[in-house]
Short mmCIF file of all heavy atoms in Angstrom, two decimals:
data_model
loop_
_atom_site.label_atom_id
_atom_site.label_comp_id
_atom_site.label_asym_id
_atom_site.label_seq_id
_atom_site.Cartn_x
_atom_site.Cartn_y
_atom_site.Cartn_z
N GLU O 5 8.45 12.02 9.23
CA GLU O 5 6.97 12.09 9.17
C GLU O 5 6.50 10.65 8.91
O GLU O 5 7.15 9.84 8.40
CB GLU O 5 6.62 12.98 7.98
CG GLU O 5 5.13 13.12 7.79
CD GLU O 5 4.74 14.12 6.78
OE1 GLU O 5 5.26 14.07 5.64
OE2 GLU O 5 3.94 14.96 7.10
N LYS O 6 5.27 10.44 9.36
CA LYS O 6 4.71 9.09 9.31
C LYS O 6 4.57 8.55 7.87
O LYS O 6 4.63 7.34 7.72
CB LYS O 6 3.38 9.00 10.01
CG LYS O 6 3.46 9.21 11.56
CD LYS O 6 2.17 8.92 12.20
CE LYS O 6 2.31 9.23 13.60
NZ LYS O 6 2.66 8.16 14.51
N ILE O 7 4.34 9.36 6.96
CA ILE O 7 4.19 8.85 5.56
C ILE O 7 5.60 8.28 5.11
O ILE O 7 5.54 7.13 4.57
CB ILE O 7 3.92 10.02 4.55
CG1 ILE O 7 2.49 10.56 4.83
CG2 ILE O 7 3.99 9.57 3.12
CD1 ILE O 7 2.01 11.70 3.99
N ALA O 8 6.68 8.84 5.34
CA ALA O 8 7.93 8.30 5.06
C ALA O 8 8.18 6.95 5.75
O ALA O 8 8.86 6.02 5.25
CB ALA O 8 9.07 9.28 5.34
N GLU O 9 7.71 6.84 6.92
CA GLU O 9 7.88 5.61 7.72
C GLU O 9 6.96 4.43 7.19
O GLU O 9 7.33 3.31 7.23
CB GLU O 9 7.49 5.80 9.16
CG GLU O 9 8.45 6.78 9.90
CD GLU O 9 7.93 7.13 11.34
OE1 GLU O 9 7.06 6.47 11.79
OE2 GLU O 9 8.52 8.11 11.90
N SER O 10 5.80 4.76 6.72
CA SER O 10 4.81 3.76 6.28
C SER O 10 5.07 3.18 4.87
O SER O 10 4.77 2.02 4.66
CB SER O 10 3.40 4.37 6.31
OG SER O 10 3.11 4.78 7.63
N GLN O 11 5.62 4.01 4.04
CA GLN O 11 5.72 3.49 2.58
C GLN O 11 6.65 2.34 2.48
O GLN O 11 6.25 1.35 1.86
CB GLN O 11 6.18 4.63 1.70
CG GLN O 11 5.94 4.29 0.29
CD GLN O 11 5.90 5.53 -0.60
OE1 GLN O 11 6.27 6.63 -0.22
NE2 GLN O 11 5.49 5.30 -1.87
N PRO O 12 7.81 2.32 3.11
CA PRO O 12 8.63 1.06 3.00
C PRO O 12 7.97 -0.14 3.54
O PRO O 12 8.14 -1.26 2.95
CB PRO O 12 9.92 1.40 3.88
CG PRO O 12 9.97 2.88 3.86
CD PRO O 12 8.50 3.37 3.89
N LYS O 13 7.22 -0.05 4.60
CA LYS O 13 6.53 -1.16 5.18
C LYS O 13 5.39 -1.66 4.21
O LYS O 13 5.28 -2.84 3.99
CB LYS O 13 5.79 -0.81 6.51
CG LYS O 13 6.79 -0.47 7.58
CD LYS O 13 6.11 -0.02 8.82
CE LYS O 13 7.04 0.55 9.86
NZ LYS O 13 6.39 1.28 10.92
N ASN O 14 4.73 -0.74 3.62
CA ASN O 14 3.71 -1.11 2.59
C ASN O 14 4.31 -1.81 1.43
O ASN O 14 3.78 -2.77 0.86
CB ASN O 14 2.80 0.06 2.18
CG ASN O 14 1.93 0.58 3.31
OD1 ASN O 14 1.73 -0.16 4.23
ND2 ASN O 14 1.44 1.76 3.17
N LEU O 15 5.46 -1.37 0.95
CA LEU O 15 6.18 -1.91 -0.07
C LEU O 15 6.63 -3.40 0.20
O LEU O 15 6.53 -4.32 -0.61
CB LEU O 15 7.37 -1.11 -0.60
CG LEU O 15 7.10 0.17 -1.37
CD1 LEU O 15 8.39 0.97 -1.50
CD2 LEU O 15 6.57 -0.21 -2.78
N ALA O 16 7.05 -3.61 1.43
CA ALA O 16 7.46 -4.90 1.87
C ALA O 16 6.25 -5.79 1.91
O ALA O 16 6.37 -6.95 1.49
CB ALA O 16 8.08 -4.81 3.28
N TYR O 17 5.07 -5.31 2.26
CA TYR O 17 3.87 -6.19 2.28
C TYR O 17 3.46 -6.57 0.84
O TYR O 17 3.08 -7.71 0.62
CB TYR O 17 2.73 -5.41 2.91
CG TYR O 17 2.91 -5.06 4.33
CD1 TYR O 17 2.40 -3.83 4.84
CD2 TYR O 17 3.64 -5.92 5.17
CE1 TYR O 17 2.59 -3.57 6.21
CE2 TYR O 17 3.87 -5.54 6.55
CZ TYR O 17 3.33 -4.37 7.08
OH TYR O 17 3.49 -4.06 8.33
N LEU O 18 3.65 -5.65 -0.08
CA LEU O 18 3.34 -5.97 -1.48
C LEU O 18 4.26 -6.96 -2.02
O LEU O 18 3.89 -7.96 -2.71
CB LEU O 18 3.39 -4.69 -2.34
CG LEU O 18 2.27 -3.72 -2.13
CD1 LEU O 18 2.53 -2.39 -2.73
CD2 LEU O 18 0.92 -4.30 -2.80
N LYS O 19 5.58 -6.89 -1.70
CA LYS O 19 6.55 -7.89 -2.14
C LYS O 19 6.22 -9.23 -1.56
O LYS O 19 6.33 -10.28 -2.19
CB LYS O 19 7.96 -7.43 -1.76
CG LYS O 19 8.43 -6.22 -2.57
CD LYS O 19 9.80 -5.75 -2.08
CE LYS O 19 10.17 -4.49 -2.89
NZ LYS O 19 11.42 -3.93 -2.37
N LEU O 20 5.90 -9.33 -0.32
CA LEU O 20 5.47 -10.60 0.38
C LEU O 20 4.24 -11.13 -0.38
O LEU O 20 4.12 -12.35 -0.51
CB LEU O 20 5.20 -10.35 1.77
CG LEU O 20 6.39 -10.24 2.68
CD1 LEU O 20 5.98 -9.85 4.13
CD2 LEU O 20 7.15 -11.60 2.73
N ALA O 21 3.28 -10.26 -0.71
CA ALA O 21 2.10 -10.77 -1.41
C ALA O 21 2.46 -11.45 -2.70
O ALA O 21 1.88 -12.50 -3.07
CB ALA O 21 1.15 -9.69 -1.66
N ILE O 22 3.40 -10.84 -3.49
CA ILE O 22 3.82 -11.38 -4.78
C ILE O 22 4.49 -12.77 -4.52
O ILE O 22 4.29 -13.73 -5.17
CB ILE O 22 4.75 -10.43 -5.53
CG1 ILE O 22 3.99 -9.19 -5.89
CG2 ILE O 22 5.37 -11.07 -6.71
CD1 ILE O 22 2.88 -9.37 -6.92
N LEU O 23 5.47 -12.77 -3.56
CA LEU O 23 6.18 -13.98 -3.21
C LEU O 23 5.29 -15.16 -2.83
O LEU O 23 5.51 -16.33 -3.14
CB LEU O 23 7.17 -13.71 -2.11
CG LEU O 23 8.50 -12.94 -2.50
CD1 LEU O 23 9.33 -12.67 -1.28
CD2 LEU O 23 9.30 -13.80 -3.46
N ASN O 24 4.27 -14.83 -2.12
CA ASN O 24 3.25 -15.82 -1.67
C ASN O 24 2.17 -16.03 -2.66
O ASN O 24 1.15 -16.73 -2.29
CB ASN O 24 2.78 -15.45 -0.30
CG ASN O 24 3.85 -15.62 0.82
OD1 ASN O 24 4.28 -16.73 1.08
ND2 ASN O 24 4.36 -14.49 1.32
N GLU O 25 2.16 -15.47 -3.79
CA GLU O 25 1.17 -15.60 -4.88
C GLU O 25 -0.25 -15.28 -4.37
O GLU O 25 -1.19 -15.86 -4.71
CB GLU O 25 1.24 -17.02 -5.43
CG GLU O 25 2.53 -17.34 -6.09
CD GLU O 25 2.68 -18.74 -6.72
OE1 GLU O 25 1.62 -19.52 -6.58
OE2 GLU O 25 3.71 -19.09 -7.17
N CYS O 26 -0.28 -14.20 -3.58
CA CYS O 26 -1.56 -13.76 -3.13
C CYS O 26 -2.34 -13.10 -4.29
O CYS O 26 -1.82 -12.48 -5.12
CB CYS O 26 -1.45 -12.72 -1.99
SG CYS O 26 -0.64 -13.34 -0.49
N ARG O 27 -3.67 -13.36 -4.23
CA ARG O 27 -4.49 -12.79 -5.25
C ARG O 27 -5.06 -11.43 -4.90
O ARG O 27 -5.59 -10.72 -5.67
CB ARG O 27 -5.63 -13.78 -5.55
CG ARG O 27 -5.16 -15.13 -5.94
CD ARG O 27 -5.25 -15.57 -7.31
NE ARG O 27 -6.26 -14.92 -8.01
CZ ARG O 27 -6.30 -14.86 -9.36
NH1 ARG O 27 -5.33 -15.33 -9.97
NH2 ARG O 27 -7.35 -14.30 -9.91
N SER O 28 -4.95 -11.08 -3.59
CA SER O 28 -5.43 -9.75 -3.19
C SER O 28 -4.69 -9.34 -1.88
O SER O 28 -4.12 -10.12 -1.23
CB SER O 28 -6.95 -9.81 -2.92
OG SER O 28 -7.20 -10.66 -1.77
N ILE O 29 -4.67 -8.06 -1.72
CA ILE O 29 -4.14 -7.45 -0.53
C ILE O 29 -4.88 -6.14 -0.16
O ILE O 29 -5.38 -5.50 -1.06
CB ILE O 29 -2.62 -7.17 -0.67
CG1 ILE O 29 -1.95 -6.73 0.61
CG2 ILE O 29 -2.37 -6.19 -1.84
CD1 ILE O 29 -0.51 -6.71 0.57
N ALA O 30 -5.00 -5.86 1.06
CA ALA O 30 -5.69 -4.70 1.54
C ALA O 30 -4.81 -3.83 2.46
O ALA O 30 -4.04 -4.45 3.23
CB ALA O 30 -6.97 -5.05 2.18
N PHE O 31 -4.87 -2.59 2.38
CA PHE O 31 -4.21 -1.73 3.33
C PHE O 31 -5.26 -0.96 4.20
O PHE O 31 -5.84 0.05 3.72
CB PHE O 31 -3.34 -0.58 2.58
CG PHE O 31 -2.16 -1.27 1.93
CD1 PHE O 31 -2.09 -1.37 0.58
CD2 PHE O 31 -1.06 -1.68 2.67
CE1 PHE O 31 -0.95 -1.92 -0.07
CE2 PHE O 31 0.05 -2.26 2.10
CZ PHE O 31 0.13 -2.30 0.71
N PRO O 32 -5.52 -1.48 5.35
CA PRO O 32 -6.48 -0.76 6.23
C PRO O 32 -5.94 0.57 6.67
O PRO O 32 -4.69 0.72 6.75
CB PRO O 32 -6.70 -1.74 7.33
CG PRO O 32 -5.49 -2.53 7.45
CD PRO O 32 -4.97 -2.67 5.99
N CYS O 33 -6.72 1.46 7.08
CA CYS O 33 -6.31 2.76 7.57
C CYS O 33 -5.99 2.67 9.01
O CYS O 33 -6.70 3.26 9.86
CB CYS O 33 -7.39 3.84 7.26
SG CYS O 33 -7.50 4.16 5.48
N ILE O 34 -4.90 1.96 9.29
CA ILE O 34 -4.43 1.81 10.70
C ILE O 34 -4.03 3.16 11.27
O ILE O 34 -3.47 3.99 10.53
CB ILE O 34 -3.29 0.75 10.77
CG1 ILE O 34 -3.76 -0.54 10.39
CG2 ILE O 34 -2.69 0.74 12.18
CD1 ILE O 34 -2.66 -1.63 10.18
N SER O 35 -4.31 3.36 12.50
CA SER O 35 -4.05 4.59 13.27
C SER O 35 -4.88 5.81 12.92
O SER O 35 -4.61 6.86 13.46
CB SER O 35 -2.55 4.96 13.13
OG SER O 35 -1.72 3.94 13.69
N THR O 36 -5.94 5.65 12.10
CA THR O 36 -6.72 6.79 11.72
C THR O 36 -7.92 6.98 12.72
O THR O 36 -8.57 7.96 12.67
CB THR O 36 -7.33 6.65 10.33
OG1 THR O 36 -8.07 5.48 10.24
CG2 THR O 36 -6.18 6.62 9.31
N GLY O 37 -8.05 6.01 13.59
CA GLY O 37 -9.09 6.12 14.62
C GLY O 37 -8.69 6.74 15.88
O GLY O 37 -8.48 8.00 15.97
N VAL O 38 -8.41 5.98 16.88
CA VAL O 38 -7.98 6.44 18.18
C VAL O 38 -6.76 7.32 18.09
O VAL O 38 -6.67 8.26 18.88
CB VAL O 38 -7.79 5.23 19.11
CG1 VAL O 38 -7.24 5.72 20.44
CG2 VAL O 38 -9.07 4.48 19.27
N PHE O 39 -5.81 6.96 17.25
CA PHE O 39 -4.56 7.71 17.23
C PHE O 39 -4.55 8.95 16.36
O PHE O 39 -3.68 9.71 16.46
CB PHE O 39 -3.43 6.77 16.77
CG PHE O 39 -3.12 5.65 17.70
CD1 PHE O 39 -3.53 4.38 17.38
CD2 PHE O 39 -2.54 5.89 18.89
CE1 PHE O 39 -3.31 3.30 18.25
CE2 PHE O 39 -2.28 4.82 19.85
CZ PHE O 39 -2.66 3.59 19.46
N GLY O 40 -5.62 9.10 15.63
CA GLY O 40 -5.91 10.45 14.97
C GLY O 40 -5.13 10.76 13.68
O GLY O 40 -5.04 11.85 13.27
N PHE O 41 -4.44 9.70 13.14
CA PHE O 41 -3.74 9.91 11.85
C PHE O 41 -4.74 10.26 10.81
O PHE O 41 -5.77 9.63 10.64
CB PHE O 41 -2.87 8.69 11.46
CG PHE O 41 -1.91 9.01 10.35
CD1 PHE O 41 -0.77 9.61 10.60
CD2 PHE O 41 -2.25 8.59 9.07
CE1 PHE O 41 0.16 9.88 9.53
CE2 PHE O 41 -1.38 8.83 8.05
CZ PHE O 41 -0.14 9.42 8.26
N PRO O 42 -4.51 11.36 9.97
CA PRO O 42 -5.47 11.83 9.01
C PRO O 42 -5.83 10.76 7.97
O PRO O 42 -4.88 10.14 7.38
CB PRO O 42 -4.90 13.03 8.36
CG PRO O 42 -3.82 13.49 9.36
CD PRO O 42 -3.33 12.25 10.14
N LYS O 43 -7.11 10.51 7.77
CA LYS O 43 -7.45 9.46 6.80
C LYS O 43 -7.02 9.73 5.41
O LYS O 43 -6.64 8.78 4.63
CB LYS O 43 -9.03 9.29 6.83
CG LYS O 43 -9.52 8.65 8.12
CD LYS O 43 -11.00 8.54 8.07
CE LYS O 43 -11.49 7.81 9.29
NZ LYS O 43 -11.63 8.45 10.49
N HIS O 44 -7.05 11.06 5.02
CA HIS O 44 -6.61 11.31 3.60
C HIS O 44 -5.13 11.06 3.42
O HIS O 44 -4.70 10.60 2.37
CB HIS O 44 -6.94 12.76 3.28
CG HIS O 44 -6.16 13.85 4.02
ND1 HIS O 44 -6.45 14.21 5.23
CD2 HIS O 44 -5.06 14.53 3.62
CE1 HIS O 44 -5.57 15.15 5.59
NE2 HIS O 44 -4.69 15.31 4.70
N LYS O 45 -4.30 11.25 4.42
CA LYS O 45 -2.90 10.94 4.33
C LYS O 45 -2.66 9.45 4.26
O LYS O 45 -1.86 8.95 3.52
CB LYS O 45 -2.10 11.50 5.56
CG LYS O 45 -1.84 12.97 5.42
CD LYS O 45 -0.85 13.43 6.51
CE LYS O 45 -0.58 14.91 6.38
NZ LYS O 45 0.40 15.36 7.40
N ALA O 46 -3.47 8.66 5.08
CA ALA O 46 -3.39 7.21 5.02
C ALA O 46 -3.73 6.74 3.59
O ALA O 46 -3.12 5.78 3.10
CB ALA O 46 -4.23 6.58 6.07
N ALA O 47 -4.76 7.27 3.08
CA ALA O 47 -5.16 6.83 1.68
C ALA O 47 -4.09 7.17 0.68
O ALA O 47 -3.81 6.38 -0.20
CB ALA O 47 -6.49 7.56 1.30
N LEU O 48 -3.52 8.33 0.78
CA LEU O 48 -2.42 8.75 -0.16
C LEU O 48 -1.22 7.79 -0.06
O LEU O 48 -0.61 7.45 -1.05
CB LEU O 48 -1.96 10.18 0.10
CG LEU O 48 -2.94 11.24 -0.37
CD1 LEU O 48 -2.45 12.63 0.07
CD2 LEU O 48 -3.12 11.17 -1.90
N ILE O 49 -0.94 7.39 1.16
CA ILE O 49 0.19 6.49 1.38
C ILE O 49 -0.14 5.13 0.66
O ILE O 49 0.79 4.66 -0.13
CB ILE O 49 0.43 6.16 2.85
CG1 ILE O 49 0.95 7.36 3.62
CG2 ILE O 49 1.36 4.90 3.10
CD1 ILE O 49 0.90 7.28 5.14
N ALA O 50 -1.32 4.62 0.80
CA ALA O 50 -1.66 3.31 0.23
C ALA O 50 -1.69 3.52 -1.33
O ALA O 50 -1.06 2.64 -2.07
CB ALA O 50 -3.00 2.86 0.65
N ILE O 51 -2.27 4.52 -1.84
CA ILE O 51 -2.39 4.75 -3.27
C ILE O 51 -0.98 4.95 -3.90
O ILE O 51 -0.66 4.31 -4.88
CB ILE O 51 -3.26 5.94 -3.63
CG1 ILE O 51 -4.73 5.54 -3.29
CG2 ILE O 51 -3.17 6.38 -5.10
CD1 ILE O 51 -5.63 6.77 -3.27
N ASN O 52 -0.19 5.81 -3.41
CA ASN O 52 1.16 6.13 -3.90
C ASN O 52 2.03 4.86 -3.78
O ASN O 52 2.81 4.61 -4.72
CB ASN O 52 1.82 7.26 -3.13
CG ASN O 52 1.10 8.57 -3.51
OD1 ASN O 52 0.49 8.71 -4.50
ND2 ASN O 52 1.20 9.51 -2.54
N THR O 53 1.94 4.08 -2.77
CA THR O 53 2.80 2.90 -2.58
C THR O 53 2.44 1.90 -3.65
O THR O 53 3.28 1.34 -4.32
CB THR O 53 2.59 2.27 -1.20
OG1 THR O 53 2.96 3.23 -0.22
CG2 THR O 53 3.46 1.03 -1.00
N VAL O 54 1.19 1.61 -3.85
CA VAL O 54 0.74 0.64 -4.86
C VAL O 54 1.10 1.06 -6.29
O VAL O 54 1.69 0.35 -7.08
CB VAL O 54 -0.81 0.38 -4.80
CG1 VAL O 54 -1.23 -0.43 -6.00
CG2 VAL O 54 -1.11 -0.29 -3.53
N ASP O 55 0.93 2.42 -6.61
CA ASP O 55 1.31 2.95 -7.89
C ASP O 55 2.84 2.73 -8.11
O ASP O 55 3.26 2.34 -9.20
CB ASP O 55 0.93 4.42 -8.03
CG ASP O 55 -0.56 4.58 -8.18
OD1 ASP O 55 -1.24 3.63 -8.45
OD2 ASP O 55 -1.01 5.76 -8.03
N GLU O 56 3.62 3.11 -7.11
CA GLU O 56 5.09 3.00 -7.19
C GLU O 56 5.49 1.56 -7.42
O GLU O 56 6.29 1.25 -8.28
CB GLU O 56 5.75 3.58 -5.96
CG GLU O 56 7.27 3.46 -5.96
CD GLU O 56 7.81 4.03 -4.67
OE1 GLU O 56 7.39 5.01 -4.15
OE2 GLU O 56 8.82 3.36 -4.17
N PHE O 57 4.88 0.67 -6.69
CA PHE O 57 5.21 -0.73 -6.74
C PHE O 57 4.95 -1.26 -8.15
O PHE O 57 5.74 -2.02 -8.73
CB PHE O 57 4.43 -1.51 -5.71
CG PHE O 57 4.74 -3.00 -5.66
CD1 PHE O 57 5.91 -3.43 -5.07
CD2 PHE O 57 3.79 -3.92 -6.16
CE1 PHE O 57 6.19 -4.80 -5.02
CE2 PHE O 57 4.07 -5.25 -6.06
CZ PHE O 57 5.28 -5.69 -5.54
N LEU O 58 3.73 -1.01 -8.68
CA LEU O 58 3.38 -1.52 -9.99
C LEU O 58 4.23 -0.85 -11.08
O LEU O 58 4.48 -1.64 -12.12
CB LEU O 58 1.87 -1.24 -10.25
CG LEU O 58 0.90 -1.96 -9.36
CD1 LEU O 58 -0.49 -1.55 -9.60
CD2 LEU O 58 1.08 -3.48 -9.59
N LYS O 59 4.72 0.29 -10.99
CA LYS O 59 5.52 0.90 -11.96
C LYS O 59 6.97 0.46 -11.89
O LYS O 59 7.70 0.58 -12.85
CB LYS O 59 5.56 2.44 -11.84
CG LYS O 59 4.25 3.09 -12.24
CD LYS O 59 4.28 4.58 -11.94
CE LYS O 59 2.93 5.20 -12.06
NZ LYS O 59 2.89 6.53 -11.64
N SER O 60 7.44 -0.13 -10.73
CA SER O 60 8.79 -0.46 -10.56
C SER O 60 9.31 -1.67 -11.27
O SER O 60 10.55 -1.80 -11.51
CB SER O 60 9.04 -0.69 -9.05
OG SER O 60 8.48 -1.87 -8.59
N SER O 61 8.43 -2.59 -11.73
CA SER O 61 8.90 -3.74 -12.36
C SER O 61 7.76 -4.39 -13.14
O SER O 61 6.62 -4.38 -12.76
CB SER O 61 9.42 -4.79 -11.38
OG SER O 61 9.69 -5.98 -11.89
N ALA O 62 8.16 -5.08 -14.25
CA ALA O 62 7.11 -5.79 -15.01
C ALA O 62 6.60 -6.98 -14.26
O ALA O 62 5.41 -7.41 -14.45
CB ALA O 62 7.77 -6.29 -16.32
N LYS O 63 7.36 -7.54 -13.33
CA LYS O 63 6.96 -8.60 -12.48
C LYS O 63 5.78 -8.24 -11.49
O LYS O 63 5.02 -8.98 -11.03
CB LYS O 63 8.06 -9.22 -11.68
CG LYS O 63 9.13 -9.89 -12.51
CD LYS O 63 10.14 -10.57 -11.66
CE LYS O 63 10.93 -9.65 -10.81
NZ LYS O 63 12.00 -10.27 -10.03
N ASN O 64 5.85 -6.93 -11.19
CA ASN O 64 4.85 -6.38 -10.19
C ASN O 64 3.57 -5.95 -10.94
O ASN O 64 3.22 -4.80 -10.88
CB ASN O 64 5.41 -5.24 -9.44
CG ASN O 64 6.65 -5.67 -8.68
OD1 ASN O 64 6.79 -6.80 -8.33
ND2 ASN O 64 7.49 -4.69 -8.41
N SER O 65 2.91 -6.90 -11.53
CA SER O 65 1.69 -6.61 -12.33
C SER O 65 0.47 -7.05 -11.58
O SER O 65 0.52 -7.88 -10.66
CB SER O 65 1.77 -7.17 -13.70
OG SER O 65 1.81 -8.53 -13.66
N ALA O 66 -0.63 -6.46 -11.97
CA ALA O 66 -1.88 -6.88 -11.44
C ALA O 66 -2.91 -7.04 -12.54
O ALA O 66 -2.85 -6.40 -13.53
CB ALA O 66 -2.40 -5.75 -10.40
N ASP O 67 -3.73 -8.10 -12.35
CA ASP O 67 -4.85 -8.31 -13.30
C ASP O 67 -6.00 -7.28 -13.12
O ASP O 67 -6.71 -6.92 -14.01
CB ASP O 67 -5.38 -9.75 -13.26
CG ASP O 67 -4.31 -10.77 -13.63
OD1 ASP O 67 -3.52 -10.44 -14.50
OD2 ASP O 67 -4.38 -11.89 -13.08
N TYR O 68 -6.06 -6.92 -11.86
CA TYR O 68 -7.19 -5.99 -11.50
C TYR O 68 -6.75 -5.22 -10.28
O TYR O 68 -6.17 -5.71 -9.35
CB TYR O 68 -8.42 -6.85 -11.11
CG TYR O 68 -9.64 -6.17 -10.73
CD1 TYR O 68 -10.40 -5.48 -11.67
CD2 TYR O 68 -10.00 -5.97 -9.35
CE1 TYR O 68 -11.51 -4.75 -11.30
CE2 TYR O 68 -11.10 -5.30 -9.01
CZ TYR O 68 -11.89 -4.75 -9.94
OH TYR O 68 -12.98 -3.94 -9.57
N LEU O 69 -6.99 -3.99 -10.33
CA LEU O 69 -6.64 -3.02 -9.24
C LEU O 69 -7.75 -2.18 -8.82
O LEU O 69 -8.44 -1.55 -9.69
CB LEU O 69 -5.47 -2.12 -9.65
CG LEU O 69 -4.96 -1.13 -8.68
CD1 LEU O 69 -4.48 -1.76 -7.40
CD2 LEU O 69 -3.92 -0.23 -9.29
N MET O 70 -8.19 -2.25 -7.61
CA MET O 70 -9.29 -1.47 -7.08
C MET O 70 -8.73 -0.64 -5.96
O MET O 70 -8.12 -1.12 -5.02
CB MET O 70 -10.44 -2.30 -6.52
CG MET O 70 -11.58 -1.52 -6.04
SD MET O 70 -12.93 -2.50 -5.32
CE MET O 70 -12.79 -4.10 -5.92
N LYS O 71 -8.96 0.66 -6.03
CA LYS O 71 -8.58 1.59 -4.94
C LYS O 71 -9.84 2.12 -4.33
O LYS O 71 -10.69 2.78 -4.95
CB LYS O 71 -7.73 2.77 -5.56
CG LYS O 71 -6.49 2.24 -6.15
CD LYS O 71 -5.73 3.44 -6.72
CE LYS O 71 -4.49 3.02 -7.47
NZ LYS O 71 -3.82 4.16 -8.15
N ILE O 72 -10.03 1.93 -3.09
CA ILE O 72 -11.12 2.43 -2.33
C ILE O 72 -10.66 3.32 -1.26
O ILE O 72 -9.80 3.00 -0.45
CB ILE O 72 -11.91 1.21 -1.62
CG1 ILE O 72 -12.35 0.24 -2.73
CG2 ILE O 72 -13.11 1.76 -0.84
CD1 ILE O 72 -12.94 -1.03 -2.14
N VAL O 73 -11.16 4.58 -1.30
CA VAL O 73 -10.70 5.57 -0.31
C VAL O 73 -11.92 6.20 0.31
O VAL O 73 -12.97 6.25 -0.18
CB VAL O 73 -9.83 6.67 -0.94
CG1 VAL O 73 -8.51 6.07 -1.38
CG2 VAL O 73 -10.49 7.31 -2.14
#
C-alpha cells in the first residue's frame, strides 16, 4: 500500500532536515491531484510520520510544530 511506501521516505526527509539544521519542513500532498491519491490518507501519512519521528529520540525535537490538513 502507498502509505507503507511513503512513511520511510518521509522519515528520511525529516532526518535530512535535522542533519542540515533546517528550521522548517513541509510535506505537500503529492499525488493527491491528477493521480487521485486520497487527501485524507496523505495527511495521515504526514501526521503519523512526524509524530513517530518526534517520539523516537530526544534529538528529534521541535521548538514549534504546526500541522495543517
